[in-house]
Amino acid sequence: MVKFLHVADVHLGFKQYGSEARLLDFAQAFKNAIKFGINEEVDFIIIAGDLFHKKSDVDPLTLTQATKVLEMAKKAEIPVIAVEGNHDSTYFKDQYSWIDYLAINGYLINLKPSFEDGMVVEKWDGQSGAYVDIGDTRIYGMKYYGSLTEKILDEYTRKIKKKGFTIFVAHVGIEGYMNIYGCVSSAKLHRFKNKVDYIALGHIHKSFVEDFIFNPGSLETCDISEYSFKRGAFLVKYDGEIKYKLIEFPRRKFVVLEHDFENYDNFREFLNKQNKKDVENSVLHLKLNAKGSVKKAVDDVKLQRTIQELLNPLIVRLNWNVVDGIFEPILDLSVKKSLENQVIEQLLESYPYGKIADEVLRLKSIFSSSYDIKRVDGFVESILNLNQGDQTQDKVSKEEKPKKDVKFELEAKLDEAKLRPKVELKKQSEESEEEWEWWKADDRRG
Ligand SMILES: [Mn+2]
């Protein structure tokens, strides 16, 4: 018999809303899950990606949270098998991730194929590999590959060799559950039928089961949109057939309330009507509908203080919905703009361009209003100059390279950049259609 625990999307190190308490919640959730696995005396534990929330600046506290908990499993002689998620992956293919760091130091097994002359699926050698045998179970692993996921999955279906009870671990979503980047059609995964017995997914923060495909969801709540999702970890037993149970661990409570704000007295009355026990220590999302003129006269700090005093939540998030007046369109536009800004920032997060979301938005508006290519060109040039200038200054000391030289070099680079597309275009047309750019497999959007 095989018995294991399937966990995903731990997001250690997520200081949600800037709150230390939330940072600890994520660590506590991880500890609860691993401890549960140890108590159940499972044969191994799977972490299907996004152990960490941030890929690069993992702080000492977060790393300690990870190692302390993983040490518990190690002491109990329970192997932990992980893959890298979009939040764990590194910027460049030859750079180590924090999951690699944990693997090299013996805390876990990090499974991913390697790419030399095409995709290579090798046995885990104690440092790297794409599959590992634990008793009669064979486990294959695949990290997050963004836009290349489908290609890698196709390649993987050809390379998998079933041996005993076979598991395939991947950080990828299935379309239709949540509208996020990094999902494939469920048919792509159902093609693994008869090759593997259990697909262990991560990425979508909501639990679901499709035949032999399992996704446990996130341990904690990474976003208000997730608060009502059913999720946790799968405890799985196999002896000829799969038996599973979704184990839900305690999570920080999220409370969503709505109130039509008229004045402070009504507001207090509304708060007093709430059950303090329900809201206490929770993350409270409060939607306030108000007329523009009313909202304008309200002091948010005073409201926050009143909420704390009467209901004592851990965190309050006020969300104003101005329902009339001249403030409405302005508010909506700014919300839209900041949302767009956030989306673009996330998309660019993995690239070395620095903070250029504002510029990208401005470019977008130039394009959508006038198609003025000359203006766009000039604008791009100014962004490149600004950002590259900044970066070069970070890395190179002032004595080594005076500023003037840097600028000169950049101009040369820009000229070079103008020439490059032609060359690349020619090269591409010479290549066969079957060729795909596996070295770009570190795409980390989403
Ligand atoms: Mn995640």
Side-chain angles (χ1 to χ4, degrees):
M1 193 193 70
V2 186
K3 188 179 181 186
F4 65 96
L5 189 72
H6 169 194
V7 179
D9 296 278
V10 183
H11 288 264
L12 277 182
F14 187 14
K15 201 174 173 186
Q16 195 177 35
Y17 312 121
S19 158
E20 290 290 339
R22 286 298 287 145
L23 184 85
L24 294 177
D25 285 347
F26 283 87
Q28 186 62 49
F30 183 45
K31 193 177 170 188
N32 289 345
I34 299 299
K35 252 190 153 173
F36 176 85
I38 294 168
N39 290 340
E40 285 288 330
E41 296 179 4
V42 295
D43 300 315
F44 52 88
I45 295 169
I46 292 171
I47 303 173
D50 283 1
L51 172 61
F52 292 113
H53 187 67
K54 289 187 199 165
K55 39 193 150 255
S56 55
D57 45 352
V58 167
D59 58 294
L61 175 64
T62 303
L63 192 59
T64 308
Q65 288 168 342
T67 53
K68 284 283 171 204
V69 173
L70 290 168
E71 215 145 67
M72 290 163 46
K74 202 177 170 182
K75 265 191 199 141
E77 291 176 26
I78 297 173
V80 175
I81 294 97
V83 299
E84 290 160 14
N86 49 315
H87 284 260
D88 302 310
S89 276
T90 43
Y91 290 4
F92 309 104
K93 68 177 169 76
D94 53 355
Q95 212 179 37
Y96 284 118
S97 71
W98 285 105
I99 308 294
D100 285 319
Y101 168 88
L102 293 174
I104 283 155
N105 287 285
Y107 289 104
L108 48 73
I109 293 165
N110 180 18
L111 297 180
K112 54 184 163 187
S114 59
F115 295 88
E116 280 138 34
D117 198 14
M119 192 173 111
V120 186
V121 175
E122 276 175 328
K123 192 170 182 170
W124 177 254
D125 64 4
Q127 299 262 302
S128 64
Y131 72 91
V132 66
D133 290 332
I134 294 171
D136 291 331
T137 305
R138 173 163 288 188
I139 307 166
Y140 285 91
M142 180 183 127
K143 67 169 203 144
Y144 178 82
Y145 289 104
S147 58
L148 288 173
T149 301
E150 296 203 355
K151 288 227 160 183
I152 309 248
L153 279 174
D154 286 347
E155 196 77 17
Y156 228 132
T157 35
R158 285 193 282 273
K159 300 228 154 116
I160 275 187
K161 287 188 183 74
K162 188 168 161 41
K163 185 177 171 279
F165 181 63
T166 306
I167 300 175
F168 179 60
V169 188
H171 192 78
V172 55
I174 291 184
E175 284 162 3
Y177 289 99
M178 264 177 92
N179 188 20
I180 56 169
Y181 192 81
C183 296
V184 296
S185 69
S186 90
K188 282 271 168 199
L189 290 164
H190 280 281
R191 280 175 49 198
F192 282 80
K193 188 84 185 175
N194 300 324
K195 295 200 168 202
V196 304
D197 301 290
Y198 185 104
I199 295 187
L201 296 184
H203 190 44
I204 293 204
H205 289 184
K206 179 199 276 184
S207 76
F208 64 84
V209 179
E210 272 189 28
D211 190 6
F212 67 121
I213 305 169
F214 293 79
N215 187 81
S218 59
L219 290 178
E220 250 293 344
T221 307
C222 296
D223 187 89
I224 176 67
S225 62
E226 299 170 7
Y227 85 102
S228 61
F229 292 171
K230 204 173 160 64
R231 62 222 138 98
F234 284 117
L235 180 65
V236 187
K237 284 178 202 169
Y238 176 81
D239 53 359
E241 63 171 323
I242 291 171
K243 290 188 185 110
Y244 68 92
K245 199 175 162 192
L246 180 73
I247 312 296
E248 288 204 74
F249 301 99
R251 286 188 294 267
R252 174 70 60 182
K253 220 178 350 173
F254 275 62
V255 178
V256 178
L257 295 174
E258 188 170 349
H259 172 66
D260 294 331
F261 190 93
E262 281 166 20
N263 55 52
Y264 283 106
D265 287 343
N266 285 354
F267 184 63
R268 282 189 84 94
E269 205 177 295
F270 162 76
L271 294 178
N272 277 322
K273 266 193 235 156
Q274 306 305 318
N275 187 346
K276 190 177 173 184
K277 254 193 173 169
D278 288 344
V279 184
E280 204 158 31
N281 285 320
S282 72
V283 174
L284 171 62
H285 275 249
L286 180 55
K287 188 178 174 191
L288 295 168
N289 305 311
K291 287 182 182 167
S293 53
V294 174
K295 197 250 168 250
K296 219 179 150 189
V298 172
D299 177 3
D300 275 14
V301 177
K302 191 177 162 189
L303 283 195
Q304 294 255 11
R305 230 182 284 135
T306 312
I307 297 164
Q308 288 295 353
E309 177 201 320
L310 295 177
L311 296 174
N312 196 29
L314 175 74
I315 291 155
V316 183
R317 308 284 293 170
L318 293 182
N319 171 21
W320 283 99
N321 176 36
V322 178
V323 286
D324 74 348
I326 50 158
F327 295 101
E328 191 180 10
I330 297 166
L331 185 90
D332 280 349
L333 275 177
S334 74
V335 167
K336 190 187 160 214
K337 202 185 155 237
S338 86
L339 276 177
E340 270 188 317
N341 201 299
Q342 276 174 34
V343 169
I344 290 164
E345 248 173 41
Q346 276 169 21
L347 284 172
L348 292 171
E349 182 177 72
S350 313
Y351 300 92
Y353 303 135
K355 290 210 179 265
I356 58 165
D358 283 336
E359 284 86 347
V360 172
L361 273 179
R362 271 168 66 197
L363 262 182
K364 193 191 141 201
S365 79
I366 297 174
F367 252 119
S368 54
S369 61
S370 65
Y371 298 100
D372 189 340
I373 303 295
K374 246 191 177 169
R375 254 179 89 199
V376 172
D377 267 354
F379 197 52
V380 168
E381 213 153 302
S382 71
I383 296 168
L384 282 174
N385 270 323
L386 259 172
N387 278 286
Q388 300 229 7
D390 284 353
Q391 279 180 8
T392 318
Q393 271 176 36
D394 279 350
K395 281 175 194 157
V396 182
S397 76
K398 274 167 197 150
E399 300 88 65
E400 271 176 65
K401 270 197 181 162
K403 222 177 171 180
K404 264 187 186 168
D405 278 353
V406 172
K407 205 152 189 214
F408 175 75
E409 271 181 25
L410 278 169
E411 273 158 16
K413 266 187 201 161
L414 278 169
D415 286 343
E416 205 183 289
K418 278 176 199 155
L419 291 170
R420 208 178 293 133
K422 280 182 200 158
V423 180
E424 275 186 0
L425 222 68
K426 207 182 158 197
K427 205 179 144 201
Q428 259 174 21
S429 63
E430 281 166 3
E431 281 168 5
S432 78
E433 271 196 278
E434 276 307 295
E435 290 265 341
W436 55 285
E437 299 178 340
W438 54 263
W439 58 86
K440 282 187 187 163
D442 56 331
D443 183 328
R444 254 150 284 86
R445 284 173 292 166

